[in-house]
Amino acid sequence: MASWLDIAFRRPVPTPPVQQPQPPPEQPAAPAQAPAVGQPTKDEFVASTNAATGPDLTGAPQFQTLAAPPEGESTPSTGPTAKPASEYNRPGGVEGDALDVDLAFKQGGPSQAAQTLADLTLKNRDVPGYADSLLKASAPTLQAISEKLGERTSKGGLDDKKKDSFGKYNTTYETLKGLSVVADKAGPEGLKLLGQSLASATPNKGEINQLDDKLNELGDEKVPGLEKLAGTLVTELEATGKNKAAKELRKEYKPLAEVPAAPPPGNRWTPGTPLSEAKNAHTTNTRSDFDHAKKGDYTWFEGDVRMEFNREGKIEMRHDEGNETGDNLTLTEWLNKGKELGVGLKLDVKDDRVFNNRFLEEVRASGVPDNKLMFNYGFGKAAAEGAKTRAMFPGATLALNPPGGPMNEQVDKLIGQVTSINDANKLPSTGPNKPPVTFVFEYGKHPEDPALINKLKEYGTISIWRGNSFQSLSVEDSTKNLRNLGIDGMIDLKESVVSSITETVKDTVTDTIKGLNPRRF
């Protein structure tokens, strides 16, 4: 059988003669069976005959790049179908990862390939020099990605609001975002390769359509590595004499040598601090709400995660199913603004569709440390996504909500759920080395039996959020009572009856101010 190198480099493989078995006596030999129509060969899976054009900028091995359909055309419904991974020999290490990037390009175009580059880079972020090695091994595919971006820059009709030939929205935005994440981890060689590939395919004109628009959008969202990506592109455009395009980008971005180091993030929440000391800003979905919380002494910011209304495939911070008052932040911007402050970030997932739109991957791409993340999942959502979340964020806090029913049954089910999640990741559920978990109950529906409280606390802390049942007592008195019960996690309460008159007046005022959300702190 041919090795991967034979396939990738198209080495001729000698075919030994096939030994035909002798037919049984007095029976004719069975006719040879024709191959199944449409069944792919390994060569068809690894690479198409249409190699990506562009100069070899690195001296990397030149296997053929998987072909993509021309931009603006439909993906053909016929043609070779990729075999399962189990049916071909995938090499190990960075060479195998480069094949995965190449396959992603064929299956999903430039945005999916760039996302795969980013995912692999973050997965191996602790391996010295990995990003540069991956970029070098993926140089042909990187060039193909750049050619697609160049094509979209040249043709104004290839808009991000429309599906590309792979059925993807936001192609330019998502491709540049993935490459920015890689740029953030790349060294000088990798950054140069990124800049050379992009510059070679960028048209030399003053109007570069959505290229600079999407770079600016990512810059507004504070995407890690964006300044480096734009800087290396400016540098290589100038080096190759594409001064019109370079001049346009220089309006917002500096050459790579002039890009300053990113400032260190703040540290409002210090990892290792007991969760009982957290002060949570319960609503930070809109720009005004976030800025309001920023002025306070909150150490954790909570946001609600949903698919965006006005832009297909994007995720935003929004509590309700319908439109809300105010300018809702995108998930990317919310994460990066929170990282800049150094607060803990609690993500309350309201819309299950986000998991099929790279929610977890986007959180990882932000670079927020695990120990400053909390994923708040309902019982069913945790059953479906808890194990994967724990695998991707081993140091993050899983906030697990009860399923309802008698309290003793709720406690047993929560313990069973956290044990299942940890078992799936070969992690302990009790003891000093258990990963962080908090069990989140609504005030008034929380356990009060000391035996049940202590039973839960073997597996994690217990947190309380404000609920409709919170009546008459002050926040201070209620908090004191909860602590006396043994509640040792985050307590996030809001006065209802005592401050109802004040809240009514405040809500009336905030409703009249554009951008403010009436669900205040």
Side-chain angles (χ1 to χ4, degrees):
M1 182 172 62
S3 70
W4 171 80
L5 291 174
D6 293 326
I7 295 169
F9 291 88
R10 296 297 189 270
R11 295 174 180 166
V13 180
T15 305
V18 178
Q19 299 295 327
Q20 296 291 339
Q22 295 296 322
E26 300 182 358
Q27 291 185 11
Q33 185 175 359
V37 176
Q39 180 67 25
T41 66
K42 289 176 181 174
D43 284 352
E44 288 172 324
F45 176 71
V46 174
S48 77
T49 56
N50 297 321
T53 60
D56 173 18
L57 302 172
T58 67
Q62 295 300 297
F63 53 85
Q64 286 181 297
T65 305
L66 295 164
E71 196 65 67
E73 296 183 8
S74 300
T75 305
S77 58
T78 60
T81 304
K83 288 185 179 182
S86 60
E87 293 188 25
Y88 76 102
N89 292 328
R90 180 190 183 279
V94 73
E95 292 83 5
D97 292 346
L99 265 187
D100 290 343
V101 176
D102 218 18
L103 179 59
F105 183 81
K106 181 176 183 182
Q107 293 179 333
S111 61
Q112 187 165 318
Q115 289 165 347
T116 302
L117 278 168
D119 291 345
L120 288 166
T121 298
L122 293 171
K123 182 179 178 182
N124 295 279
R125 58 185 177 272
D126 295 329
V127 178
Y130 177 83
D132 285 13
S133 297
L134 179 62
L135 286 169
K136 186 174 181 180
S138 303
T141 313
L142 179 60
Q143 188 62 38
I145 293 170
S146 300
E147 295 292 342
K148 281 294 180 184
L149 284 176
E151 187 179 352
R152 296 178 68 81
T153 302
S154 299
K155 299 178 181 179
L158 301 178
D159 190 85
D160 262 19
K161 294 180 180 179
K162 302 175 184 177
K163 288 184 179 180
D164 66 9
S165 54
F166 295 89
K168 307 279 188 181
Y169 290 100
N170 309 311
T171 299
T172 301
Y173 170 89
E174 293 294 348
T175 303
L176 291 171
K177 181 196 277 187
L179 295 180
S180 294
V181 171
V182 179
D184 189 51
K185 304 298 181 185
E189 290 186 10
L191 286 169
K192 186 173 183 65
L193 176 54
L194 274 169
Q196 287 179 328
S197 297
L198 291 170
S200 70
T202 301
N204 185 27
K205 57 181 185 179
E207 176 54 57
I208 48 180
N209 296 315
Q210 54 186 296
L211 177 62
D212 54 343
D213 293 340
K214 299 307 171 185
L215 285 172
N216 294 342
E217 182 178 343
L218 292 165
D220 291 341
E221 293 182 328
K222 303 181 183 295
V223 171
L226 186 277
E227 296 287 338
K228 290 182 179 179
L229 183 71
T232 190
L233 175 54
V234 170
T235 298
E236 298 304 327
L237 285 171
E238 292 179 343
T240 53
K242 293 187 173 181
N243 295 318
K244 291 181 180 179
K247 182 179 179 181
E248 185 65 20
L249 287 177
R250 262 187 174 269
K251 293 177 181 178
E252 298 289 340
Y253 304 102
K254 299 177 181 179
L256 184 59
E258 300 175 25
V259 174
N267 199 31
R268 282 203 189 185
W269 176 253
T270 303
T273 305
L275 195 56
S276 59
E277 297 183 21
K279 184 175 181 181
N280 188 47
H282 193 79
T283 306
T284 61
N285 295 328
T286 67
R287 195 173 306 280
S288 57
D289 281 343
F290 194 101
D291 290 343
H292 179 85
K294 184 177 176 180
K295 296 173 183 176
D297 60 349
Y298 299 100
T299 56
W300 279 81
F301 283 22
E302 181 173 346
D304 305 298
V305 186
R306 287 187 180 275
M307 294 305 300
E308 192 169 324
F309 262 128
N310 303 318
R311 191 164 167 186
E312 194 74 29
K314 288 267 289 181
I315 302 174
E316 70 176 353
M317 311 307 291
R318 192 178 80 253
H319 183 276
D320 298 338
E321 290 187 16
N323 281 313
E324 296 177 345
T325 304
D327 181 12
N328 295 85
L329 298 169
T330 66
L331 171 63
T332 299
E333 186 172 7
W334 186 85
L335 288 165
N336 290 315
K337 283 167 71 73
K339 182 178 71 172
E340 191 175 69
L341 279 179
V343 294
L345 294 171
K346 181 180 178 182
L347 295 131
D348 189 354
V349 177
K350 302 292 188 184
D351 185 345
D352 289 352
R353 293 176 299 165
V354 301
F355 290 105
N356 294 323
N357 285 272
R358 294 181 55 81
F359 162 61
L360 293 175
E361 290 79 4
E362 191 162 333
V363 175
R364 183 171 61 182
S366 72
V368 177
D370 283 14
N371 51 21
K372 290 187 177 181
L373 287 170
M374 182 185 296
F375 295 90
N376 188 53
Y377 291 166
F379 192 78
K381 202 170 284 119
E385 304 293 341
K388 180 181 178 182
T389 304
R390 173 58 75 213
M392 291 181 66
F393 304 93
T397 299
L398 292 184
L400 305 180
N401 289 257
M407 185 56 65
N408 62 324
E409 293 182 8
Q410 292 189 55
V411 168
D412 288 341
K413 288 179 179 179
L414 284 170
I415 290 173
Q417 183 169 80
V418 72
T419 301
S420 176
I421 290 171
N422 289 330
D423 285 351
N425 289 282
K426 297 181 171 57
L427 295 169
S429 295
T430 60
N433 297 320
K434 66 180 183 291
V437 169
T438 190
F439 303 104
V440 184
F441 290 88
E442 182 180 354
Y443 182 86
K445 299 179 181 179
H446 56 276
E448 298 184 20
D449 183 345
L452 293 179
I453 290 173
N454 290 331
K455 188 176 181 179
L456 273 178
K457 285 167 67 173
E458 291 184 33
Y459 297 83
T461 60
I462 301 175
S463 294
I464 306 294
W465 64 279
R466 65 195 186 203
N468 294 330
S469 57
F470 181 56
Q471 302 288 332
S472 69
L473 290 178
S474 68
V475 169
E476 291 77 13
D477 288 343
S478 295
T479 300
K480 183 178 179 180
N481 290 343
L482 290 170
R483 294 297 184 208
N484 289 338
L485 265 179
I487 303 302
D488 58 346
M490 179 188 292
I491 295 179
D492 177 21
L493 299 177
K494 176 183 177 181
E495 295 189 47
S496 56
V497 174
V498 170
S499 59
S500 60
I501 297 176
T502 302
E503 289 297 312
T504 299
V505 173
K506 183 170 69 174
D507 288 349
T508 301
V509 173
T510 56
D511 275 342
T512 65
I513 303 175
K514 184 179 180 180
L516 292 183
N517 191 319
R519 289 190 312 279
R520 273 297 181 199
F521 312 95

